[in-house]
Amino acid sequence: MDKFELKLDQAARAAWLSYVGGRTQDEIASQLGVSRPGVQRLLALARQEGLVKVHIDHPLANCMVMSDAILKRFGLEFCDVVPADPEAPESSAHYLAVAGAERLARLIERSEPLTLSLGTGRSVRATVEALSRIERPQHRFVSLVGNVARDGSANRYDGVMVLADKTGGERFLLPAPVVAGSVEEKEAMLGQRLFQAIVEVAKEAEAAYIGVGRIDRQATLFQDHFISEAELDELLSRNAVGELLGWPLDRNGAVIECSITRRVTSLPLEMFRHQTLVALAGGRDKGPAILAALRGGWLKGLITDESAARFILESEGLS
């Protein structure tokens, strides 16, 4: 996707919010992260390119309808829904990464020092890889999830190292497995001065961008050996539908109390109640997990695709 196509996407969003959503230019500026003159230029571009007719003639129009419905239903600060092509699922993943990178870039391009937290997962990693290089050595990036499995293998979807390399910023990795082998092992890790120092950095983060995991036989936690088959069976028996930062959730978004949650080393979700926690996830198979995160009130921002958005709205009786 080139710069003009990205600008056209922004113009479509601005046009929908203005002509269909009835938002003021100040409200549009706040939601899209641009200045008021920037909104005026986007609206002018939408008219110039023939996007504004009786309806908005752009694939994003349907996405914007769903985005607005999810935003209002769950009280989010923003919700970006990207197109999904059932015949080319890889294109949806690409659009998701581009949309995530666009949001991230608005933070990273700032000159004042920034502390930003990252979860893990394919979408988080792809989003970071979609960012352009920019020198921002004053920024700090901290991982919210352990970067090793119990067998010592590295977490291949961690984005902190990539982001730090692209910006020259400082990097802080959580030196632990996602799920410790025992409660005693977890307590020993959490008591280490190094671990506590990283927690303090994470507390200063302005925002956190994380993935959303499904809980089934294809779950990343299971496939990448962060949990065993017996532990996966335990989660399924407790009706877990998804996870955030390794914390399993039921369909209403409540953290499930079980042997696994007593050993999760990730930073507790309650810590992010006063931060901007943004989820990056798409696909209908992730729908139940994303919906659980929304119902639990954990998220302030969501970047997803049409397939997941449609599942969410159908499940909430809003389709």
Side-chain angles (χ1 to χ4, degrees):
M1 182 178 290
D2 60 27
K3 289 184 178 180
F4 180 74
E5 288 175 319
L6 286 172
K7 184 63 70 176
L8 204 59
D9 280 359
Q10 281 285 77
R13 294 181 192 278
W16 193 95
L17 289 168
S18 177
Y19 299 111
V20 182
R23 307 292 174 83
T24 67
Q25 290 188 2
D26 286 335
E27 288 172 332
I28 298 170
S30 176
Q31 183 159 340
L32 297 185
V34 300
S35 64
R36 185 170 179 176
V39 172
Q40 293 168 350
R41 287 192 291 272
L42 287 172
L43 293 175
L45 177 62
R47 292 191 296 270
Q48 174 186 320
E49 294 298 318
L51 303 186
V52 181
K53 301 174 184 174
V54 176
H55 64 284
I56 299 176
D57 190 11
H58 190 277
L60 273 175
N62 188 48
C63 293
M64 289 300 295
V65 172
M66 292 191 286
S67 167
D68 200 54
I70 293 172
L71 184 146
K72 290 176 179 175
R73 177 71 166 192
F74 297 103
L76 302 178
E77 293 178 7
F78 68 84
C79 176
D80 297 334
V81 177
V82 302
D85 183 351
E87 311 230 339
E90 68 283 352
S91 67
S92 175
H94 170 71
Y95 288 134
L96 196 67
V98 170
E102 187 179 329
R103 287 282 179 183
L104 263 183
R106 295 176 196 171
L107 292 171
I108 294 170
E109 288 172 357
R110 291 177 354 197
S111 57
E112 60 269 24
L114 165 75
T115 300
L116 181 71
S117 297
L118 288 181
T120 186
R122 291 179 178 86
S123 296
V124 172
R125 175 80 182 215
T127 291
V128 171
E129 289 176 342
L131 281 167
S132 300
R133 291 184 177 274
I134 182 172
E135 280 298 310
R136 288 295 184 270
Q138 66 272 36
H139 293 344
R140 301 187 299 176
F141 308 107
V142 56
S143 177
L144 299 176
V145 181
N147 63 334
V148 291
R150 267 183 260 170
D151 62 3
S153 58
N155 182 355
R156 54 184 165 158
Y157 297 121
D158 188 274
V160 167
M161 294 292 285
V162 178
L163 189 51
D165 286 342
K166 285 194 168 188
T167 60
E170 291 185 84
R171 64 204 74 192
F172 297 84
L173 301 177
L174 206 59
V178 178
V179 181
S182 67
V183 173
E184 293 75 19
E185 182 182 313
K186 171 185 173 176
E187 290 175 349
M189 290 177 185
L190 268 57
Q192 293 177 4
R193 187 163 55 183
L194 173 60
F195 195 100
Q196 290 301 317
I198 292 172
V199 170
E200 290 305 311
V201 174
K203 286 180 179 177
E204 297 176 13
E206 180 175 327
Y209 279 68
I210 67 171
V212 178
R214 53 201 277 197
I215 299 294
D216 56 23
R217 298 290 165 188
Q218 302 305 313
T220 301
L221 277 181
F222 174 60
Q223 292 288 329
D224 287 356
H225 311 295
F226 291 111
I227 62 173
S228 67
E229 186 166 10
E231 289 168 334
L232 174 63
D233 289 338
E234 179 184 1
L235 289 176
L236 293 173
S237 72
R238 298 295 186 96
N239 298 315
V241 298
E243 53 89 6
L244 296 178
L245 303 177
W247 297 98
L249 306 177
D250 65 20
R251 65 186 300 273
N252 293 315
V255 176
I256 295 172
E257 178 59 32
C258 62
S259 69
I260 295 164
T261 50
R262 291 190 285 275
R263 293 179 286 117
V264 171
T265 64
S266 305
L267 305 189
L269 291 178
E270 287 292 341
M271 195 183 102
F272 303 98
R273 288 294 191 188
H274 304 295
Q275 290 188 15
T276 300
L277 191 63
V278 181
L280 296 149
R284 194 172 181 87
D285 56 354
K286 287 281 185 80
I290 300 169
L291 179 56
L294 290 167
R295 285 175 172 170
W298 300 111
L299 306 179
K300 290 188 174 66
L302 173 64
I303 302 170
T304 190
D305 65 9
E306 280 182 283
S307 298
R310 191 170 291 110
F311 174 90
I312 291 166
L313 294 175
E314 288 171 354
S315 300
E316 291 292 288
L318 298 174
S319 59

